[in-house]
Amino acid sequence: MPIPLTKAIDKFPRVRLGHAPTPLDPAPLLGKALGIELWIKRDDCTGLAMGGNKVRQLEFPLGEAQSRDADTLLITSAVQSNYVRVAAAAGRQLGMETHIQLEERVPDVDALYRSSGNVLLDRLFGAKLHSFPVGDDEPAADASLDLLAQTLAQEGRRPYVIHLAPAHPPLGALGYVLAAEETLAQARALDLKFDAVVCPTGSALTHAGFLVGLRTLGKEVPVYGICVRRDAGSQAARVRQVAEQLAAMIERPEVFDADEVEAFDGVLAPGYGRLNDAVREAISLAARQEGLLLDPVYTGKTMAGLIEHVRSGVIPEGSRVLFIHTGGLPAIFAYGDRLGNWLSDVPWETTDLDR
Ligand SMILES: *Cc1c(COP(=O)(O)O)cnc(C)c1O
């Protein structure tokens, strides 16, 4: 008998940051428009500092930071990163100073990209910002944080580094094992069985965590990861690497089958953090069919991938589909000028005061 899942996860120190359970909502109008029965796991509603998947993910590294009595957090990601924004807020909640390293992952950005959305919130939380002029070298980004941590330690601080590269144990994925358990309990209460799960896949903490969580709990439903960062081949390798480490961490090395990782990069172009028409359409459709917000970097792309999977028949029409909404909403404002003409086409009439 394997040890119970909660016991395997309880070994890891954790701080509660988020509101859970997040809602599991039906999206009947958007589902109808797509020809499926659509349900949304509302992890955009995890609470802290405008929420998103990073709230669940940070509960474990920050638990470790606290158990080591750290007083300073260091984290690295893209300029419009949701991860660093939530870390900056969590740092304040736990009385820690946060250093944020912002990598130049997206070319040709406008002024709004550098001032609004998550950057505005990072500044509001008083995080210390460091610019890293490289966008696609995770080991170098981690090494740069380690160097900064050394300097801070010499100044008498007690730093904790949240590394990016998969060479480090994927503590954050534990949050998504728990999210899978939470979602299954909700589905059971509603007497629902899903035919497919769709989620974004970037660092792979969400994808691998949810997948391993489902398999650990005996559910065989396919999990379609939609690539937001790298091509399908590299991404599938990343998910496997994270899932294997994770399954070993929770002492269930046998639950994960490397052959079953699904990664789709058909809506990724022109690359990370860059819009395309399929993404603009998906954001518009969700907003106008269902009053549902999606973000331009992750969930908009993921919904575009879901739509593509239904069109191509990978997800058959009429399927009951679970979409994991991972948040990211502050970035809408940073991408405001790039979202498309459909926004300025909305009528805005002047009232005639003499009518
Ligand atoms: C980081 C992020 C993702 C990607 O999740 P990973 O766990 O890194 O794969 C998806 N959606 C949003 C909104 C994010 O901030």
Side-chain angles (χ1 to χ4, degrees):
M1 270 294 276
I3 59 169
L5 185 57
T6 37
K7 215 166 159 210
I9 290 183
D10 281 350
K11 287 189 310 197
F12 297 92
R14 175 186 181 194
V15 285
R16 302 287 174 126
L17 298 171
H19 299 172
T22 57
L24 173 64
D25 284 343
L29 298 176
L30 181 56
K32 187 162 177 235
L34 303 181
I36 56 174
E37 183 186 323
L38 181 61
W39 289 79
I40 304 191
K41 180 58 174 167
R42 296 295 302 273
D43 273 10
D44 54 323
C45 302
T46 50
L48 179 64
M50 302 184 87
N53 62 345
K54 301 312 183 307
V55 177
R56 289 189 197 270
Q57 292 183 5
L58 282 165
E59 289 188 341
F60 289 91
L62 292 191
E64 188 174 82
Q66 282 218 310
S67 73
R68 293 182 188 172
D69 200 25
D71 62 8
T72 308
L73 279 178
L74 287 78
I75 187 164
T76 185
S77 193
V79 173
Q80 276 299 330
S81 162
N82 303 298
Y83 203 16
V84 303
R85 175 248 308 165
V86 176
R92 285 308 181 207
Q93 203 176 71
L94 302 173
M96 303 169 90
E97 179 176 284
T98 303
H99 288 256
I100 286 174
Q101 175 173 275
L102 298 176
E103 306 160 26
E104 293 297 334
R105 287 192 200 168
V106 184
D108 306 324
V109 294
D110 59 14
L112 212 47
Y113 182 87
R114 294 190 182 284
S115 63
S116 185
N118 286 303
V119 174
L120 176 68
L121 301 181
D122 298 341
R123 291 198 162 119
L124 200 52
F125 292 124
K128 301 221 173 353
L129 306 184
H130 306 260
S131 184
F132 191 66
V134 181
D136 53 9
D137 190 340
E138 293 182 332
D142 281 343
S144 170
L145 280 192
D146 288 335
L147 216 56
L148 178 59
Q150 273 175 25
T151 308
L152 290 166
Q154 279 158 11
E155 290 166 6
R157 303 207 63 99
R158 296 185 303 278
Y160 179 85
V161 177
I162 300 173
H163 292 102
L164 185 62
H168 302 271
L171 287 177
L174 293 168
Y176 270 86
V177 175
L178 292 179
E181 188 177 42
E182 177 184 305
T183 309
L184 286 176
Q186 290 172 314
R188 210 177 306 121
L190 292 164
D191 202 15
L192 289 175
K193 211 170 158 258
F194 293 107
D195 302 313
V197 177
V198 177
C199 68
T201 185
S203 75
L205 297 178
T206 305
H207 186 176
F210 210 85
L211 180 63
V212 168
L214 289 174
R215 297 302 179 262
T216 302
L217 296 161
K219 297 292 173 211
E220 291 305 319
V221 51
V223 179
Y224 297 102
I226 309 300
C227 298
V228 296
R229 178 89 201 266
R230 46 186 88 70
D231 67 84
S234 326
Q235 186 62 31
R238 171 75 166 234
V239 178
R240 281 185 201 110
Q241 188 180 0
V242 174
E244 270 161 17
Q245 290 185 75
L246 176 63
M249 278 160 58
I250 61 169
E251 298 174 42
R252 298 294 176 88
E254 75 292 344
V255 297
F256 171 68
D257 175 2
D259 290 337
E260 64 156 337
V261 171
E262 301 274 357
F264 174 68
D265 62 7
V267 293
L268 176 61
Y272 174 79
R274 301 173 77 189
L275 285 161
N276 58 47
D277 286 342
V279 175
R280 290 189 180 90
E281 266 169 47
I283 293 174
S284 164
L285 197 69
R288 294 184 176 190
Q289 294 290 331
E290 196 67 62
L292 179 74
L293 291 175
L294 300 176
D295 83 286
V297 182
Y298 299 101
T299 53
K301 239 167 215 179
T302 304
M303 186 59 76
L306 186 163
I307 292 170
E308 202 41 52
H309 272 343
V310 176
R311 279 190 189 142
S312 68
V314 170
I315 295 177
E317 249 182 70
S319 298
R320 183 178 284 151
V321 181
L322 174 68
F323 178 88
I324 303 179
H325 193 319
T326 48
L329 301 180
I332 290 178
F333 302 103
Y335 281 75
D337 287 345
R338 294 166 179 236
L339 282 175
N341 293 335
W342 48 277
L343 288 173
S344 48
D345 289 348
V346 176
W348 185 357
E349 286 162 13
T350 303
T351 302
D352 178 1
L353 293 177
D354 299 324
R355 72 191 185 282

